[in-house]
Amino acid sequence: MTYPFDCIRNFMFFDTALHPSDVILIPGARQPQLMQRAAELYHQGLAPIILPSGGQSKNSEPTEWEFLRDVGLALGVPSEAILKEDQATNTFENARNSLKVLQQAEIDAKKVLLVCKNYHARRALLTYQFVFPPDTEFYVAPVVDKTGITKDNWFQHEGRINVVMNELEKTGKYFRKAIYQVGAVRK
C-alpha cells in the first residue's frame, strides 16, 4: 500500500550498506539502543573505535557520553576503544566536536559508521557530511529507539507523527543557512 507521504518516509527513514570503517560515531542521546548497535558493530569487527558524543542535558545527570560509555562497557567494549566527546548539545556540535576529537587523536576517518535514531538518520547524515571532509564515506546504521517509531508505524499515532515531522522541520532549519552560504560562494 502506498501513501501520499511515502516521500517523507523514504527521505527520513533509510539505511545504507555497512562496510569496515575507521570509527563508529554516535550523535548523543540517552538511548541505550545506540550503543547497543555500536557495540554489535564493534564486536563484528566493522570498526576499532567508537566515539559517542554528547554533553549534559540536565545538571544532575551524567553526560550523554557517560551514559553511552557505560552501556558500551557493560556490553564488553574495552574502555580504550571508546573515545570521549562530552560537550556537544546538538547535532552540529556532535559532528564538529567529534571531528576535533578524531583529529586530536590523529585518526584519519575516511570511512565512518554513523549509528543514530532511525528518524534522525537524514539530519544526522547531512550534518556529519557538512562538517567532515568531503571525501569521507558514511555508512548509516539506524536504530529504533525507546519511542518505538519505525518507518512503518510513524504515521499511525499523533505523538509519533509529531516526532518525525519535528525532525523533518529541523532538517530544513539546520541547512537553510548553509545552503544560502554555499550558493553565495558559487555565484
Side-chain angles (χ1 to χ4, degrees), residues 72-117:
L73 293 174
L75 294 170
V77 178
S79 61
E80 61 272 11
I82 303 173
L83 297 180
K84 183 176 183 178
E85 192 300 296
D86 64 352
Q87 299 300 308
T89 61
N90 61 53
T91 307
F92 261 120
E93 289 179 6
N94 292 133
R96 287 183 186 119
N97 295 355
S98 293
L99 181 58
K100 285 179 189 173
V101 168
L102 292 171
Q103 289 169 336
Q104 289 170 352
E106 297 182 354
I107 296 170
D108 188 20
K110 295 291 186 191
K111 294 184 180 191
V112 173
L113 285 165
L114 185 61
V115 175
C116 55
K117 296 176 280 187

Side-chain angles (χ1 to χ4, degrees), residues 33-147:
Q33 299 86 350
L34 294 167
M35 183 53 92
Q36 289 165 353
R37 181 69 170 131
E40 176 186 324
L41 297 171
Y42 171 84
H43 289 305
Q44 289 174 4
L46 287 175
I49 299 167
I50 302 173
L51 175 50
S53 172
Q56 200 165 35
S57 56
K58 295 180 182 174
N59 290 336
S60 62
E61 294 183 349
T63 63
E64 291 173 347
W65 175 83
E66 289 172 300
F67 175 87
L68 293 168
R69 178 210 55 201
D70 291 348
V71 172
L73 293 174
L75 294 170
V77 178
S79 61
E80 61 272 11
I82 303 173
L83 297 180
K84 183 176 183 178
E85 192 300 296
D86 64 352
Q87 299 300 308
T89 61
N90 61 53
T91 307
F92 261 120
E93 289 179 6
N94 292 133
R96 287 183 186 119
N97 295 355
S98 293
L99 181 58
K100 285 179 189 173
V101 168
L102 292 171
Q103 289 169 336
Q104 289 170 352
E106 297 182 354
I107 296 170
D108 188 20
K110 295 291 186 191
K111 294 184 180 191
V112 173
L113 285 165
L114 185 61
V115 175
C116 55
K117 296 176 280 187
N118 59 356
Y119 55 86
H120 182 234
R122 182 62 64 186
R123 181 163 61 99
L125 176 62
L126 289 170
T127 304
Y128 279 77
Q129 286 175 324
F130 186 78
V131 169
F132 275 64
D135 61 339
T136 307
E137 288 183 55
F138 287 93
Y139 310 111
V140 180
V143 300
V144 177
D145 69 1
K146 66 183 176 185
T147 65

Side-chain angles (χ1 to χ4, degrees), residues 103 116 150 174 181:
Q103 289 169 336
C116 55
T150 69
Y174 256 53
Q181 290 171 345

